[in-house]
Structure formats: C-alpha cells, structure tokens
Amino acid sequence: MSAFPGIDVIQYEGPESDNPLAFRWYNPDEVVAGRSMREHLRFSVVYWHTFRGTGSDPFGAGTMICPWDDGSDSVENACNRARAAFELFEKLQAPYYAFHDRDVAPEGGTLAESHRNFDAVAKVLQEEQQRSGVKLLWGTANMFSHPRFMHGAATSCNADVFAYAASQVKKCLEVTKELGGENYVFWGGREGYQTLYNTNMRRELDHLAKFFHMAIDYAKSIGFSGQFLIEPKPKEPTKHQYDSDAAACLNFLRSYDLLDSFKLNIEANHATLAGHTMMHELDYAGMQGALGSIDANTGDLLLGWDTDQFPTDYYLTTQTMLVILKHGGLGSGGVNFDAKVRRESFEPLDLFYAHIGGMDAFAKGLKVAAAILEENALGRLVEERYASWDSGIGAKIEAGEVGFAELEQYMLEKGEVAANASGRQELLEAIVNRYIDRA
Ligand code: XUL
Ligand code: CO
C-alpha cells in the first residue's frame, strides 16, 4: 500500500515550470563544475522530523497527519513507518537518509529490549536500502530525550549514564556499519550545563573526550570506516553546550588529541544561534580541513530559537555552496535536511513541497556559486585586496624574514602607510545579485 498515493517520482521540469511537484533547478544528472548535481549535493532526508515529528510545539499538541502510522510504539508500526519513509526518499530522488537510533525503533523497557527493537527495524531498513538504492548518510544515537539523560550523556554527573550512553553508541555504531552508513554524528544534545554552580566543567570535558576516544577505538575494532562528525550548537536544550561553535569544537578536539578522527557537521540554524553566519562556520571548519557535512535548514530571526525551517533563501544556499566548493566539496558528507515543516503545514503533501523547495534552492545555489567561482567574480577582488602581501614587506612578514625591529626600521624610512583601498562590499553584494539573476 502506498503511503503517498497519487504522487509520482519528482522530475526535473526546468525553471519555467509552475508544477509544485517538479524540480525547477535540481536536475540530478546535470553537470556543474565538473560533477553532477547529485554528486555535489548528496541530498539526505532526516527521519526524525519527517517521520517522527508530530508538529507539536511548547504550546500545542501535534498536528501532522501520517496515514501510514498507527500511532503506537510497536516494532511493527516502526517497520511500516520505515517502508513509508523509503517511499518518500525514492519519490524525492534523495540518495541518502539519516536517523537517530530512537527515531527508527522504539525504546524498550530495558537496554536489551531497545537493542532488539533496533535490530528488528534495521533489518527492514537494510531491505529497503537494497530495494531502493537509497543509502545511509549517517547514524546517531539519541542521548537527550529520555529522562535518564537529564544531566547529559557522556558529560553526566552520574557515571552510570556515561556507561548507558556508551552502550547505546556501541550499538548504534554496529547498526550504522551494518547499513553502510558513510558517517557517524555526535550532536551534544545535553552535553553542557544549565548552571556553573553545580558543574565541574573540567571533569565533564575530560569525560566527553574519553567517550569519543572509546568510540573511535570501538569503531576501529569492528571495522567501521565512516567519518566521525561533531555537530556544533551553542545552546538548546542546555544554556551552554560544549560543542558551541566550529571554533570551540576544533579547540576541544585539538586539546584532547581527537583532531585526526573528527570533522564537523555544520547546521545553519545552529550557526545563527551561535551569533555567526552559516558562511562563517563553514569557512572556519573548511580552513582547518574539518568541513565534513551540513545540516541544511534555516532559522527565523524574529523567533530566535532553533526553528529548523526548510531553507529556501538563495543567498543562504549560494553562500553555503560558495564555501563548500571553495573547500573542495563535502567528501563523504551531504546536504542533510535537518528541517521540519511548520505546525500549520500538517499534510503528507507538505513534506514534498518542503523538500522540493529546499532541494531546488540548493541546486540553484550550487549553480550560482559555481559560476561565481568559475569567473573568479569575487576572488579577483579578494586577491587584489591582499596584493600588498604578495611582494615587498608583506611577503617578508609572511616568510618570517622580519621582526618588530626591521618593521620599525621599514616604517621609519617610509614615514606613512600606503593608501588603503575601498572594501567594495556593496559592489560585491551587487555582483552576487547579478549571478543569482543570471543562473
Ligand atoms: C538538534 C539537531 C539534531 C542533530 C542530530 O538541534 O540538529 O537533530 O542533527 O542529533
Ligand atoms: Co542537526
């Protein structure tokens, strides 16, 4: 039985199409900057918002209509849900999906029962992957919903919770490996604090690092070769999360000798919560060789919390793709729609409109970014802006040939600095507009 009757596989119809169930920009086989759009974008649909999201918010009950779901916590219902999920992935032509262990399978009365439930649903996921060709971008363990994680997981003050979390990640790594997952994500849901009055921050960070080292060791022991990713987020649900932004994550990884084993999964709405742009977070990760994957969504500046909306803004997608292309692409990562439809968009059809809109926005962003880079439209101005470093005193500073004494001598002789040039921000913004108009 079809979960989405009357909807066919979404096809590319081109920018002139007014069919809301067609792609206007995402043309999977179209080659842009040497690779197909499918290969560049590696779209992924998330299980949690799309198949477990109820539409509830802190003030109101769920609204989503899910005809394929009997509303129970049974394993059988979870298996049916998995089949419906793959129908959506296929109809969207999404090559990947991502899950938390507890999204796909219900938590049992004991850890052993939870493991069994997970295995039972993983069997169906495996069958569906083989049938459809849709692959697992990443797996992750939900270590923030259950009350046992109230003080965190690896950073909990309760050592038993660390042990429980370790067991959960061990199992999730095994299943992710079994399903051919290309990455494994850690988002520190409650790995942070609400008040420093009750927190030994040093001890918690040491424990978090120990946890990651154990995960790496275990992954090696079972032959899981996927990329480990940390997903930065500054707050929500805790007031401060240790993985607060790209710079904080990289500092943590470097301090605890974990840098070689991790990259980052950068999420747009998390960047905004950290007071950064998506572009900043991506560039910071990229310049340190740590850009692994992205969670594609957007926030609402008037609401200010993690609204996880679908990204439709061409500036956001252009900027995102500019930085991703600049750093050589996403590797084993992907464009993962960690996004949910609004509470008021409660019909199954809305899941299609939302993903199609997001995929099209990214496909257009890719084309715009590729054209800007190909014509070096921004790069030329950046190169000119730093030209004083290419020769003369600038080159000597970069080469480490001079110190303060030589620089003082240089400036005493010269008397005053060479004239500054305009930053040309408005021109650059207009250039980006021109490429968006043209794509
Ligand atoms: C929460 C968030 C998570 C992670 C996976 O803000 O983004 O869904 O992506 O745990
Ligand atoms: Co996310």
Side-chain angles (χ1 to χ4, degrees):
M1 203 187 73
S2 168
F4 303 98
I7 300 178
D8 292 329
V9 176
I10 306 302
Q11 303 292 341
Y12 172 72
E13 291 185 4
E16 301 308 321
S17 172
D18 57 9
N19 174 5
L21 288 173
F23 294 122
R24 296 188 313 114
W25 294 99
Y26 183 54
N27 186 11
D29 293 319
E30 185 177 330
V31 173
V32 178
R35 270 194 280 177
S36 70
M37 284 193 171
R38 186 189 287 107
E39 290 167 309
H40 273 293
L41 295 164
R42 298 167 58 83
F43 284 128
S44 163
V45 175
V46 303
Y47 214 94
W48 52 101
H49 293 311
T50 310
F51 284 91
R52 303 314 309 274
T54 62
S56 65
D57 72 13
F59 297 91
T63 56
M64 290 298 292
I65 298 171
C66 308
W68 56 84
D69 199 309
D70 69 13
S72 79
D73 246 354
S74 73
V75 171
E76 193 194 344
N77 189 33
C79 293
N80 289 336
R81 203 187 280 130
R83 294 185 188 99
F86 275 78
E87 186 182 333
L88 179 87
F89 307 156
E90 278 185 285
K91 288 188 167 174
L92 284 171
Q93 296 203 51
Y96 288 97
Y97 73 111
F99 64 65
H100 297 86
D101 48 1
R102 300 297 179 253
D103 308 330
V104 287
E107 171 120 19
T110 62
L111 179 63
E113 197 192 335
S114 296
H115 283 356
R116 278 197 301 278
N117 292 349
F118 196 11
D119 281 334
V121 183
K123 215 169 134 269
V124 176
L125 297 173
Q126 182 75 279
E127 284 164 16
E128 287 294 295
Q129 285 187 204
Q130 275 160 5
R131 184 191 57 70
S132 65
V134 175
K135 294 183 282 188
L136 179 61
L137 185 68
W138 48 264
T140 189
N142 177 331
M143 303 188 291
F144 44 87
S145 295
H146 193 281
R148 78 174 66 84
F149 297 116
M150 64 170 70
H151 300 299
T155 65
S156 175
C157 47
N158 179 348
D160 271 0
V161 177
F162 185 106
Y164 196 103
S167 323
Q168 210 179 313
V169 170
K170 174 179 176 290
K171 180 70 188 171
C172 197
L173 277 168
E174 290 161 8
V175 173
T176 301
K177 177 188 181 263
E178 206 54 40
L179 295 176
E182 297 185 25
N183 306 270
Y184 186 89
V185 166
F186 289 97
W187 167 62
R190 292 183 193 274
E191 311 290 30
Y193 58 80
Q194 298 292 10
T195 170
L196 279 173
Y197 288 153
N198 69 13
T199 302
N200 185 333
M201 183 149 57
R202 177 81 226 199
R203 220 165 169 183
E204 293 200 359
L205 285 168
D206 286 351
H207 296 165
L208 185 59
K210 268 211 163 56
F211 194 92
F212 287 150
H213 276 291
M214 288 181 194
I216 294 163
D217 290 345
Y218 188 68
K220 267 198 199 113
S221 79
I222 61 168
F224 173 68
S225 56
Q227 175 67 51
F228 277 114
L229 300 168
I230 291 190
E231 184 176 319
K233 183 176 182 184
K235 55 190 169 190
E236 272 190 37
T238 59
K239 144 173 145 172
H240 174 83
Q241 274 164 216
Y242 295 132
D243 52 13
S244 54
D245 65 1
C249 286
L250 287 164
N251 181 54
F252 167 83
L253 293 170
R254 205 181 308 275
S255 311
Y256 287 99
D257 195 22
L258 287 160
L259 208 51
D260 291 344
S261 307
F262 280 88
K263 288 188 174 176
L264 302 181
N265 180 37
I266 304 291
E267 176 163 329
N269 206 161
H270 295 180
T272 335
L273 288 176
H276 304 310
T277 59
M278 180 63 167
M279 219 179 167
H280 166 92
E281 286 291 85
L282 290 167
D283 209 23
Y284 199 94
M287 77 183 186
Q288 307 227 19
L291 175 49
S293 196
I294 67 165
D295 271 11
N297 61 17
T298 191
D300 184 317
L301 294 178
L302 296 186
L303 286 171
W305 68 80
D306 193 10
T307 55
D308 284 333
Q309 288 168 225
F310 275 85
T312 50
D313 181 316
Y314 290 151
Y315 292 100
L316 174 65
T317 58
T318 296
Q319 290 167 4
T320 300
M321 292 316 300
L322 263 177
V323 186
I324 288 173
L325 291 177
K326 170 174 140 190
H327 292 294
L330 287 171
S332 67
V335 174
N336 180 52
F337 287 108
D338 189 358
K340 56 184 179 227
V341 291
R342 298 304 84 196
R343 184 168 185 265
E344 303 79 7
S345 311
F346 52 85
E347 295 175 359
L349 188 58
D350 290 304
L351 295 175
F352 279 88
Y353 292 151
H355 284 91
I356 292 168
M359 290 162 89
D360 265 345
F362 264 91
K364 169 132 173 167
L366 166 65
K367 288 186 90 162
V368 176
I372 291 174
L373 290 172
E374 194 185 314
E375 291 166 23
N376 203 20
L378 301 177
R380 215 177 10 249
L381 282 132
V382 178
E383 284 155 25
E384 276 167 23
R385 189 156 183 256
Y386 290 87
S388 69
W389 294 89
D390 296 337
S391 61
I393 196 70
K396 282 189 186 150
I397 298 171
E398 282 195 350
E401 288 167 8
V402 290
F404 271 12
E406 292 80 5
L407 291 173
E408 184 192 40
Q409 193 50 42
Y410 165 80
M411 223 51 248
L412 285 170
E413 280 165 26
K414 194 160 181 184
E416 190 44 89
V417 302
N420 274 312
S422 165
R424 301 264 188 258
Q425 179 172 335
E426 299 75 9
L427 170 65
L428 295 166
E429 288 168 352
I431 290 176
V432 171
N433 276 357
R434 210 163 71 213
Y435 280 84
I436 288 179
D437 291 344
R438 228 173 67 178

